[in-house]
Each structure stands twice: as structure tokens, then as C-alpha cells.
Amino acid sequence: MSTFKAYLTSQEGKSVKTELVDMTTDQLDEGEVLIDVKHSTVNYKDALSATGAGRIIRRFPCVGGIDLAGTVASSSDPAFKPGDTVIATSYDVGVAHHGGYAQKARIPAAWLVKAPAGMTTFDAMSYGTAGFTAALAVHRMQHDGLSPDKGPVLVNGATGGVGMVAIEILAKLGYDVVAVTGKEKDADLLKSIGAKEVLVRGQFEMTEKPLGPETYAGAVDNLGGEQLSWLTRVMKVGGTIASVGLAQGWEVKTTVMPFILRGVLLLGIDSVNCPMSLRRELWGKLANEWKCDKLASHCRTVSFAELPTVFDAYVKGAVTGRTVVQVS
């Protein structure tokens, strides 16, 4: 039986080790669809898994990589045929089911999305979970009343994958986007993808009063902690906050006042358990009316062999834009 390359994460005592190994298809997890993986990507979650900096993987050993895109090699499910281009994100991929950091993957058919017409495997992984999460956040906010005439929308963690995709989608839809970043050097980059204004973290006042000035109609929050606490205080009446991440902290210190006096909505964005019908709809939008035309120019591509060298920068918050992994 022929072998293929995979980055396998295993646990040795209390430490985690990720190494390049040879695998065979009979070592893959169960699923109806065998995929030749073409591209994967790197998310903050992947870096935490591979380095052991976060307790992400629920089963060892496990091939990491929570995203993958490739072509169907074989399928026992009639919905997928050899040669189909498919995308796998979310569910247990890369955390309790062998994921995208391997040249082959076997995935349950119920977890797969056919790539929309015109979307390549590189395109899909330039978005990955980060871009899909940004699209889900925008969808949820608009569903709950956000519209361009309501006022500006703030996006923090703006140079990350979620932040940059959210900025480009919102700008494309006509919103005035305010980007918040700790990387002052990237202000021009953020403006080039659609931010109307850039605020540098630590260089503006964040009120601690229960209610501050009504400033933003919406916000995509990647940070949690102090920034999310502040955002609840400065939303306009009926404002919507999409809570996406916790890079700054998992605690939120606020009062009920923004919620009962201004009707502020705090929306939890869960891309893992997104219903398949909505998942297909959002991938379709990312291929068409929400297509991020500027995204590819801010993606770097790394070879499969280079993959281990990129994780530390993610853990340290030193990455701008997206990283696509050319698996095969």
C-alpha cells in the first residue's frame, strides 16, 4: 500500500509533539469520501494545537489542520464523485478526526461542501475557517438588523484572517469600517482593503463607565476581554456585536445596562456547528457577491515542508493576513 506524508500531533506525557510521518489510507479515520488534499491553511487554533500552547486536540494522535480543500479520489456517497472539488472545515476536522495537514484525508460526506463554481482549492483556503467565520458574523449581524445606514462598524484584531475578510466584505457591502489593530505599521494595508478609519490599540481611550458615547452600529470582536467589555458600552441603540474570538481574554466585564437601555445584541459566532444549508449559502457568497478580490494579494503560500516554521508567529500574534499551505 502506498504511503503519503502527514503532520501527526501526539502526546508524550504532558507535552505535545508534531512531526512529519508516513501514513497509509487504512490509518485514516472513517468517512465516505477519500480526498486528495491540495491546500490547507493555518489558523490560530492550528498553531495552538501543533505547539501544545492550547488544549485544542481532543484525541491523540491526530493529524492537525482544521481546514482542507482538495479533489475527491473515491466516494461511497453518491453526492460526491471522483474529481469533485470539496471543502472541509469545522466539525471534528483536525481536533478529533484526522485533518488537513496530510496529503490524503477521509471525511464523512455530511461534513463536506462542494466548492462553488469558479472557486479553486487555493481560493477556498485563502478564506478557510477564518474567512468563513467572518462571513458568518456579517450574515448574523445583518440578520439582526445591521445595515450601512445605521452607522460605522468596528472590526478589532483587524490584521488577522477573520478581521481582514470581515473588513473587505463589510466595505464591499457599503459599510463605514473602523479597524482596530496593535500593528500601527499596517494602517495603510487596512485602508487598502476597505477600512475608512484605523485606530491603534493603546492610543485611544476606552471608557469604563457603564454607558459611553453611542459610537458604533456594529462590531466584529476577535479579542474578547477588555476590548469586548468596552464595545458593549459604546454601541448605538440596537447595535450588534459579533463575538468571534478570545485572543485578549475570555472574561467580559460589563453591566446589563447596554442590553436593557440600548437593546445591544451580543451574538456568539459558532462556525463549527453552523447548519450545512447556511454553510453552503455562505461559501456561495464568498465565491460571488462577497468575494474578497484583495485577499489573495495578502496571502502567503508555504510549502508542506515549511509548515512547522509558521506556528510560533501565530501563537505570538505576529502574523498579518492569511497563510495557505500547499499540501500537494
Side-chain angles (χ1 to χ4, degrees):
M1 184 178 294
S2 61
T3 62
F4 57 89
K5 298 294 184 182
Y7 278 102
L8 189 69
T9 300
S10 55
Q11 190 171 32
E12 296 182 350
K14 294 184 178 181
S15 63
V16 166
K17 178 177 70 173
T18 298
E19 59 184 338
L20 185 65
V21 300
D22 289 320
M23 291 183 67
T24 58
T25 54
D26 63 351
Q27 293 176 282
L28 293 173
D29 291 321
E30 293 183 358
E32 295 82 11
V33 186
L34 181 66
I35 301 164
D36 292 323
V37 180
K38 304 300 182 185
H39 290 95
S40 184
T41 186
V42 181
N43 299 280
Y44 181 59
K45 191 173 181 179
D46 295 312
L48 294 177
S49 297
T51 61
R55 299 181 65 178
I56 304 299
I57 290 180
R58 303 197 305 271
R59 181 211 74 189
F60 294 99
C62 187
V63 174
I66 63 173
D67 299 334
L68 66 89
T71 56
V72 174
S74 62
S75 174
S76 62
D77 188 298
F80 298 96
K81 297 178 174 56
D84 285 347
T85 300
V86 291
I87 304 165
T89 66
S90 307
Y91 302 99
D92 285 338
V93 175
V95 293
H97 187 103
H98 289 318
Y101 294 160
Q103 293 173 325
K104 290 186 181 294
R106 185 181 288 119
I107 304 292
W111 297 0
L112 289 174
V113 173
K114 282 187 183 180
M119 179 178 278
T120 66
T121 57
F122 177 90
D123 295 336
M125 291 297 95
S126 69
Y127 292 114
T129 287
F132 178 81
T133 301
L136 180 58
V138 174
H139 168 82
R140 287 283 311 278
M141 293 165 74
Q142 292 200 136
H143 179 271
D144 283 279
L146 183 66
S147 58
D149 61 297
K150 298 288 181 65
V153 178
L154 182 143
V155 178
N156 62 23
T159 61
V162 176
M164 292 185 73
V165 174
I167 289 169
E168 191 165 349
I169 292 174
L170 289 164
K172 185 181 285 283
L173 294 175
Y175 290 90
D176 289 340
V177 182
V178 178
V180 178
T181 180
K183 302 169 185 170
E184 188 171 3
K185 63 180 179 60
D186 289 328
D188 289 342
L189 166 63
L190 295 172
K191 289 180 179 178
S192 75
I193 64 172
K196 188 172 182 179
E197 182 182 358
V198 177
L199 302 178
V200 179
R201 201 162 59 241
Q203 296 183 14
F204 62 95
E205 183 181 357
M206 296 196 299
T207 182
E208 294 184 0
K209 295 178 180 179
L211 289 175
E214 295 184 44
T215 309
Y216 303 107
V220 178
D221 173 67
N222 288 281
L223 302 181
E226 183 183 22
Q227 283 246 345
L228 178 53
S229 302
W230 165 70
L231 279 171
T232 64
R233 304 170 191 137
V234 293
M235 300 303 294
K236 289 175 174 283
V237 170
T240 57
I241 304 171
S243 176
V244 170
L246 42 65
Q248 193 179 75
W250 53 270
E251 288 188 332
V252 180
K253 297 179 181 179
T254 188
T255 70
V256 298
M257 293 174 70
F259 308 107
I260 64 174
L261 298 181
R262 292 181 179 172
V264 172
L265 299 176
L266 180 58
L267 309 175
I269 305 303
D270 175 13
S271 62
V272 173
N273 297 299
C274 177
M276 181 54 74
S277 58
L278 179 55
R279 192 177 294 276
R280 294 192 188 101
E281 177 187 340
L282 293 178
W283 278 111
K285 286 187 174 184
L286 288 170
N288 294 286
E289 63 265 37
W290 288 6
K291 185 177 181 180
C292 294
D293 304 301
K294 301 170 185 175
L295 182 62
S297 62
H298 304 300
C299 286
R300 63 167 174 160
T301 302
V302 298
S303 69
F304 200 35
E306 293 176 285
L307 176 60
T309 68
V310 306
F311 294 129
D312 282 346
Y314 272 85
V315 173
K316 294 174 182 175
V319 176
T320 296
R322 301 281 292 134
T323 302
V324 177
V325 183
Q326 188 170 336
V327 177
S328 60

